[in-house]
Amino acid sequence: EPEVTQTPSHQVTQMGQEVILRCVPISNHLYFYWYRQILGQKVEFLVSFYNNEISEKSEIFDDQFSVERPDGSNFTLKIRSTKLEDSAMYFCASRIAGADSYEQYFGPGTRLTVT
Amino acid sequence: DAKTTQPTSMDCAEGRAANLPCNHSTISGNEYVYWYRQIHSQGPQYIIHGLKNNETNEMASLIITEDRKSSTLILPHATLRDTAVYYCIVRPGTWGKLQFGAGTQVVVTP
């Protein structure tokens, strides 16, 4: 069964460094999402992406964050200057297009630790 | 999006049915009820969704009250692998973000 993959599974970085989290959505999906989950807290929406542009973003998704689909398969989340509070699990999700496409498929997540 | 209320936790014996309630008294006419689950910090997994009719798939059944103000997710024969946090989410249509609450921690015991 097709699945969303994410790399790396765990990323450790120092405060102030840039990180890029990578996701490979399911191949025929056209809607892409990033969510995060701080340890012990709720899963929070960050951003959705369709047709090569951001369709919606949360207030968490400030100027330090950016997303890109650099080629036909990858979907990346960049954090320009990481802060301690960016430590979290980051989940990528994707969805096929169409009104009947109700399911978002989530990847296994990348655990980001900022020291 | 409508707010949902779920119990914080519940236990279920292996092999028995697990009935997970969700209140969504402010749901509006175009909002669907979705259920996802998250097994120990893995990515959330879609279970089922419905608008007003009861729904069943290979994972679960969804019972929505006639006034649509509450629903129940039924896992017919719970297994140890069903131990997870279960999220009831209400949102319009099929597109857009998912807004997760705290969910219900379900523990299935032998």
Side-chain angles (χ1 to χ4, degrees):
Chain A
E1 185 175 320
E3 58 184 21
V4 176
T5 59
Q6 293 185 240
T7 54
S9 56
H10 190 191
Q11 173 90 47
V12 181
T13 189
Q14 289 191 324
M15 194 168 53
Q17 296 296 304
E18 174 184 288
V19 293
I20 297 176
L21 309 183
R22 291 183 167 80
C23 169
V24 179
I26 295 172
S27 62
N28 60 342
H29 286 192
L30 297 179
Y31 292 84
F32 312 110
Y33 308 84
W34 284 101
Y35 294 81
R36 79 172 187 188
Q37 186 175 31
I38 296 170
L39 186 64
Q41 298 187 23
K42 302 174 188 178
V43 177
E44 301 174 289
F45 167 76
L46 292 179
V47 65
S48 58
F49 190 87
Y50 171 70
N51 200 24
N52 282 320
E53 60 183 31
I54 290 172
S55 47
E56 187 176 4
K57 61 183 181 179
S58 72
E59 57 193 27
I60 302 169
F61 195 88
D62 61 20
D63 291 344
Q64 292 300 309
F65 292 86
S66 62
V67 289
E68 191 178 31
R69 188 156 163 80
D71 53 43
S73 58
N74 290 285
F75 179 51
T76 61
L77 174 69
K78 181 193 290 186
I79 309 175
R80 288 189 183 82
S81 178
T82 51
K83 307 182 185 74
L84 294 176
E85 55 264 36
D86 293 328
S87 294
M89 281 289 285
Y90 287 81
F91 296 107
C92 172
S94 69
R95 182 174 74 81
I96 200 167
D100 293 332
S101 59
Y102 40 80
E103 180 176 355
Q104 289 185 21
Y105 291 79
F106 284 77
T110 292
R111 179 169 298 285
L112 177 65
T113 302
V114 182
T115 62
Chain B
D1 294 351
K3 185 180 168 68
T4 62
T5 304
Q6 299 178 250
T8 304
S9 65
M10 59 186 297
D11 294 337
C12 178
E14 188 178 19
R16 304 295 291 270
N19 296 289
L20 283 63
C22 179
N23 284 319
H24 31 79
S25 58
T26 60
I27 193 170
S28 57
N30 66 340
E31 289 183 315
Y32 288 73
V33 180
Y34 288 81
W35 284 84
Y36 278 74
R37 73 179 183 183
Q38 186 177 25
I39 298 172
H40 189 56
S41 297
Q42 295 178 21
Q45 177 190 23
Y46 166 85
I47 300 173
I48 200 167
H49 80 288
L51 182 61
K52 51 185 177 181
N53 296 325
N54 298 336
E55 302 288 343
T56 295
N57 63 19
E58 64 278 4
M59 287 182 70
S61 295
L62 174 60
I63 308 297
I64 303 174
T65 58
E66 195 168 336
D67 63 8
R68 303 209 322 122
K69 293 185 177 182
S70 66
S71 60
T72 301
L73 178 75
I74 301 172
L75 308 177
H77 304 288
T79 71
L80 299 179
R81 288 176 296 179
D82 292 323
T83 292
V85 179
Y86 288 77
Y87 301 99
C88 171
I89 300 169
V90 172
R91 67 164 178 168
T94 61
W95 53 273
K97 65 190 176 197
L98 292 167
Q99 290 186 292
F100 292 84
T104 297
Q105 172 69 64
V106 173
V107 176
V108 181
T109 55

